[in-house]
Amino acid sequence: MSPWLFRNHDGHIFSFEPYSAGITLSSPEAQINAALLGMGIAEVGIHHAWPYLRSGELKLVLRQYHHPGDYKMVIQYPHRALLAARVRVTVEHLLETFAHDERLHIPLESLAEFEA
């Protein structure tokens, strides 16, 4: 399991490792389903939980203390002058799709309205 990161009152980051979890799930979708069933707290990317936050089915807890980390989505491909057309078209399509996916561009400060 990955540790959960939190900020204490003086701003320092500490980790919490939920060893005593009654159930451990690795799929974000399964974690969300378990949370929707009232089975506990899930730590998933906002883009996974976004529709459930907007509908009111899920709420954020500990938002003021949780440290979300600094995750970035990257695309790796061979860099060379004669890049295969299929690779170039795929990368361009993915970049365009990700640029227009609102779930990937949610400002963290806008999440206050979804707190429990």
Side-chain angles (χ1 to χ4, degrees), residues 2 63 79 98:
S2 299
R63 186 186 73 83
H79 180 70
F98 295 153

Side-chain angles (χ1 to χ4, degrees), residues 17-31:
E17 301 198 25
Y19 291 120
S20 61
I23 183 170
T24 303
L25 303 167
S26 60
S27 159
E29 294 83 5
Q31 292 178 32

Side-chain angles (χ1 to χ4, degrees), residues 71-93:
Y71 299 99
K72 296 182 184 348
M73 188 177 297
V74 297
I75 299 174
Q76 295 182 344
Y77 57 92
H79 180 70
R80 55 186 159 177
L82 301 174
L83 185 64
R86 67 180 180 270
V87 174
R88 182 182 46 75
V89 168
T90 300
V91 169
E92 288 173 1
H93 170 75

Side-chain angles (χ1 to χ4, degrees), residues 104-115:
L104 300 176
H105 303 281
I106 300 166
L108 295 179
E109 58 275 2
S110 71
L111 298 175
E113 68 181 281
F114 302 107
E115 286 186 81

Side-chain angles (χ1 to χ4, degrees), residues 3-23:
W4 295 4
L5 301 177
F6 294 94
R7 269 187 233 81
N8 59 19
H9 294 291
D10 64 3
H12 288 90
I13 297 171
F14 68 95
S15 65
F16 169 74
E17 301 198 25
Y19 291 120
S20 61
I23 183 170

